[in-house]
Amino acid sequence: MTATARDGSGAAGGGPLLLGVRHHGPGSARAVRAALDAARPRAVLIEGPPEADALIPLATEVDMRPPVALLAHAVDEPGRSAFWPLAEFSPEWVAIRWALEHDVPARFIDLPATHTLAWGSAATEGEPGGGAGSERGDDADPAGGGAAGADASRRGGGTGVDGDGDGDERGGGPHSGAAARPGAGSQADTDTDTDASAGGGAGARSEASIGAGAGAGAGAGAGAGAEAPAAPGADAAAGSGAQAETGAGSGIDAGTNTNTNTETATATDTNRDADAGVASQSSADGSAMEKDVRIDPLAVLAEAAGYDDPERWWEDVVEHRGVGEGDPFAPFLALEEAMGALREAYGSGGHDRDLVREAYMRLQVRAAQREFGDAVAVVCGAWHVPALRQKTAVAADRALVKGLPKVKADMTWVPWTYRRLSRVSGYGAGIDSPGWYGHLFAAPDRPVERWMTKVAGLLRAEDRIVSPAHVIEAVRLAEALAAMRGRPLPGLGETTDAVRAVMCEGSDVPLALVHDRLVVGDVLGEVPQAAPAVPLQRDLERTQRRLRLKPEALDRELELDLRKETDAGRSRLLHRLRLLGVAWGEPVASRGSTGTFRETWRLRWEPELAVRVAEAGVWGTTVLAAATAKAEAEAVAAQALADVTGLAERCLLAELPEALPVVMQVLADRAALDTDVGHLAQALPALVRSLRYGDVRGTDTGALTGVAAGLAERIFVGLPPACAALDADAAEEMRRHVDAVHGAVGLLGDAPGPDHRDLRGRWHSVLRVLSVRDTVPGVVRGRAVRLLLDDGELGQDEVARLMGLVLSPGTPPGDAAAWIEGFVGGGAGGGMLLVHDERLLGLVDSWLTGVPAEAFTDVLPLLRRTFSAYEPGVRRTLGELVRRGPGERGRVTAAGSGIPGFAADPDPERADAVLPLVRLLLGLDGPSGPGGPGGPGGPGGVKADIDNDLAGVAG
Amino acid sequence: MSVSVEPKSVEPSESGSAPVNSSAVTPVSAGASAQASANGTDELRPHAEDAFAGELASLAAQDDRPRPARWKLSPWAVATYLLGGTLPDGTVITPKYVGPRRIVEVAVTTLATDRALLLLGVPGTAKTWVSEHLAAAVSGDSTLLVQGTAGTPEEAIRYGWNYAQLLANGPSRDALVPSPVMRAMAQGMTARVEELTRIPADVQDTLITILSEKTLPIPELGQEVQAVRGFNLIATANDRDRGVNDLSSALRRRFNTVVLPLPESVEAEVDIVSRRVDQIGRSLDLPAVPDGIDEIRRVVTVFRELRDGVTSDGRTKLKSPSGTLSTAEAISVVTSGLALASHFGDGVLRAGDVAAGILGAVVRDPAADRVIWQEYLEAVVRERDGWKDFYRACREVSA
């Protein structure tokens, strides 16, 4: 074929067709398609984990819609995982689709995830990871002969961290076992691959792919022979990342770092993987990285071309190039040349992980060449192309990939989103603008015009007036800007500037919408049902086993005592699942005990919950990580302040310490911007309640306390103005808010921390302001006075003065009645106050008798509402007091310099009468104590005494 | 606007001891006065095209890129003129506007595509300065200017009549007094409209025909003036002040809008404020203030935080008050604080001297803004280290 011939002449010395791409580059994707169409290779090799070979056929299913990601996870530790996201415009995806459409085998050729995942454990945990790996050696290899080699390399991985010496030793060990492999090395690969592309079932898949991995490892061992040093492998294990692509991203030296940019796709993505194992891994990498100077190959090339922004340079040179004119291979050759020059300058030596990966890729390419001849196309990051082109000794390559650590890994497809492809969300596959790239890839022609039309459509849907004239002007402006900036075509920067100036009237607000919906985009991928189970399911099963909590279809009540380890774990699991929308357990009211350390759940496992779990799989690979991610997303999306406080409470219950800062930040922001004091007052009690839960569960609630105190602060400032000009209903609601805040501040004041100590003091001064301000409704004023009195902040005399003011003839009777309601109404104790303080009762009494007849009917309902809530006994006592008349009151008042309601001097005789009962209660006496009311009649007698005493006091 | 940091009012007081190196933030005016004196002109404030005639000439000489019709420079050279740079022959172009490059590029490109340009922004963001220099660089003439006020009549935008001529000879082109806009249309120049939003709405709409049809009918004569290539219009407007007439959407559609941002960093803004306060202070014969910079920084911080609705550490969100809290206002707060300190205090600018001014600038709507201010005081200022005196002073004036 001419194409192949041309390729042969272009590429140094023939060999496979190497297509260097930028992951997620639409230009690269288009170029790959054109090149494949022209070259018509007999096999397509793609950079990616070979375990996923079996999953490739799923790509043509109707239910498969990119963006999707290949997810590799360690079988026994779903938290350790890596993603290879693929969008519609990813060159890898295009290559897969092309291969499937043309009935050509497609294969992944990167280092197997079984190693890259194990690298993570080797680097982070050292010995344990290796131990786990070899332990699992038994069931790894139906694919045949690689068992010994596989074992060997596993063991090698385990100790690889330790250094070179061990490596040598092991190099010898497995040799005999692996010796069978050299010839069969490619054979084994072929087997597994054909199986896979023939549609090998999900069950067979993992084993087959692992077998392939094992075979490769074994082959490497054999080729290297006993004398081959194991050092490179050991080095790699020690310094490298959890995943193949992480290795690329978080490089050990300059050369590797360059990789981050060349193949932004998977590199950044896996780096940012949220799971704990990987997180610790990347920190380990970080330390290695700090020592090195970072060099970005694209930046170097861009600088040479006179660009200050490497991304823009890449866009101009590669992405915006039209395909169709000229040689479909020309861009790849040019890029290869550039990368070759770069690697000569920067990429020689040191970056062990890349070397290992490239060695493995070379081996795989060779194997494919043996099978298909030179008609093999390789799609990989442009950075790797020179290395794959390089002629190296097979033995050297095998030595490199020998002795890598292993874990049992499993792969599946998971749905992905554009948002996660973008850097903004933190997962990040490394591209800012997946929506824009998707558009560039999908648009058949006139991309800028089509883009502007899309933007106009979006803005119109949001009720902004955007006419076709706007679109025309925006396109003109974008093109003129591009011309002025010397770019071949308007890029995202130009179009954004034009949209801002023409369609958004200079405002960034609608522009943010455009960015969110179009530039990043809302696209959500889908995977077919046939895709293997998500790791979340496995993690859930493991947790269930650990907590001995079996899913049962029958209703079951579960009592948990949170002080016990297992029960606390169960509670956390159930709370987390509830957050994830997996309603396995419903909390029900505890019977009997009301302690905060008890929880009662009703459990019931419905079959559809399994579907829910699968759906929740998008949030993470473990229950903890998924619940955390979900909580964070919910916090950001929450509308009302109360929703966020509720969420904070649930986060504490589910123990999601990592989600809490986000929730707290959202809460603080919402609180800061909420202008309704009522909302704030509603939010505060829930928050303070959460603080108490936190105490029970031993969570760190420092941040929560801070936010609660800030919330209280805002309430203090906003409350007095908010109390002005309220009608009766609103006033009543405000009274409830005041009560709620009072309770919350009381609890909060106890919280540790220097900042919150004077909260109560400030609350009291707010109450004082409320109590004397005339525009504040009577019921709130009365309540404020009462709360101050209860806290001992106002003396009896002062209260009497305030009450006198309110009940003086100048105040409208309705107001006065409301004040009384606020002061003595609502809840217990109000009546007793009047019973005990006859001065206050006298004020009420004389006011009531002075109410004009016409006003009395207005006041009556209020008063009735107030007094009818009292206990019958209190009501009767009050009635008796009032009937007795002012004379008696005068006596009490006159007698009293002491506490009102009490005689000036104690009555020792009556006080002594109580003592026996007190003794009994405190258990100071034996059952037959002298003088104690030992018999069954005793308590009753004492009770009668006390009743008498109380009556006596009251009288 | 009683106070502005735009250098149109800066130069007069600056002649004496202008900072030698005004590598500053917004407009750079040292070059202006330097060149003006070099040219030996006597004007208080020479036009941009005169003050920077040298730079414009060397740009024109070395500009080999295509120029739109009747442009003195290519768009690229206009952008270089505004943003500064060094030409191949070594001529240094001083930056006229220090800010995002994107803004200048969009502005220039807009003019090059015959769309009218609307520069939006709060007071003190160099709108007028940018529009003047754009006109000077594009058309070589920044004087075709309509100043917008509440009393701007339609004649100022279309044309007026010489009534003596009109009565004597009847309506004719000789009796017509063309407006700057009309002249710009006829000559293919750049017209400028300052403070477009101050102009009553019905007068604003006069521009619609001019911008969409590119023609100005004169019904009295049965004639029209058609714009020739090269005509364009730059308007400046202020969207946050009170007492503005919002543009009708029909008019708004005819503009490309560029929003000039506030100074990017606290340091930049502190720099602008302190320089400007220094100048005003000297012209008012206020004694020099030794340690005012800390207080200025606080004022700027307060203004920025309330304006942006978030604290400077980015941790806490805040409500924004209804006032604009522009840099210009910060300047006036500091200046009046300075006057207080020198006349009634010990000459040292203290928290108490600026507190009342800040309160006045922040609390424009007595009900809502007061709550916002108090929340800010309690939630942010009270907790901040070293701000105790400021907190107390503000509490005192707020109570």
Side-chain angles (χ1 to χ4, degrees), chain A residues 119-397:
Chain A
W119 270 350
S121 78
T124 49
E125 299 160 24
E127 204 49 58
S134 50
E135 181 184 302
R136 228 149 287 120
D138 326 316
D139 51 330
D141 61 335
D151 259 341
S153 47
R154 274 185 210 115
R155 247 178 289 127
T159 39
V161 199
D162 302 344
D164 311 346
D166 294 356
D168 270 324
E169 204 180 293
R170 271 174 284 116
H175 184 54
S176 60
R181 303 295 299 157
S186 64
Q187 184 60 46
D189 288 342
T190 322
D191 286 350
T192 46
D193 278 337
T194 23
D195 273 353
S197 38
R205 174 197 40 76
S206 77
E207 289 165 339
S209 55
I210 282 174
E227 68 285 355
D235 277 352
S240 66
Q243 307 86 18
E245 294 296 345
T246 309
S250 47
I252 290 234
D253 72 341
T256 316
N257 282 331
T258 40
N259 226 359
T260 322
N261 285 289
T262 335
E263 33 163 284
T264 359
T266 28
T268 325
D269 163 55
T270 39
N271 264 342
R272 304 263 185 85
D273 188 5
D275 296 309
V278 181
S280 58
Q281 172 56 33
S282 60
S283 68
D285 282 343
S287 58
M289 203 162 26
E290 276 162 24
K291 287 179 243 150
D292 307 308
V293 189
R294 299 196 63 138
I295 294 173
D296 174 354
L298 282 195
V300 175
L301 290 176
E303 206 188 322
Y307 281 70
D308 50 0
D309 179 358
E311 299 272 325
R312 237 182 67 188
W313 172 79
W314 181 270
E315 277 205 349
D316 282 1
V317 177
V318 181
E319 305 301 345
H320 290 167
R321 269 178 81 105
V323 173
E325 78 267 27
D327 185 355
F329 307 108
F332 294 106
L333 291 177
L335 198 58
E336 183 181 341
E337 201 176 319
M339 286 297 161
L342 273 179
R343 289 203 66 160
E344 262 173 41
Y346 299 104
S348 52
H351 53 310
D352 300 340
R353 258 170 302 179
D354 258 16
L355 289 183
V356 175
R357 290 177 52 210
E358 283 161 358
Y360 189 85
M361 284 195 248
R362 272 196 297 269
L363 288 171
Q364 295 293 102
V365 171
R366 270 189 211 111
Q369 272 176 294
R370 271 197 293 278
E371 193 181 343
F372 300 104
D374 271 358
V376 166
V378 180
V379 177
C380 62
W383 179 251
H384 300 303
V385 170
L388 296 190
R389 182 75 75 203
Q390 208 179 356
K391 296 280 176 212
T392 52
V394 176
D397 281 348

Side-chain angles (χ1 to χ4, degrees), chain B residues 157-159 182 185 210 214-218 223-225:
Chain B
I157 294 177
R158 302 174 73 205
Y159 48 86
M182 191 169 173
M185 289 174 76
I210 298 174
K214 311 279 187 206
T215 173
L216 182 56
I218 313 172
Q223 295 178 355
E224 60 173 13
V225 175

Side-chain angles (χ1 to χ4, degrees), chain A residues 896-916:
Chain A
S897 61
I899 304 162
F902 289 88
D905 298 312
D907 184 338
E909 192 186 327
R910 290 163 75 185
D912 285 346
V914 187
L915 284 177

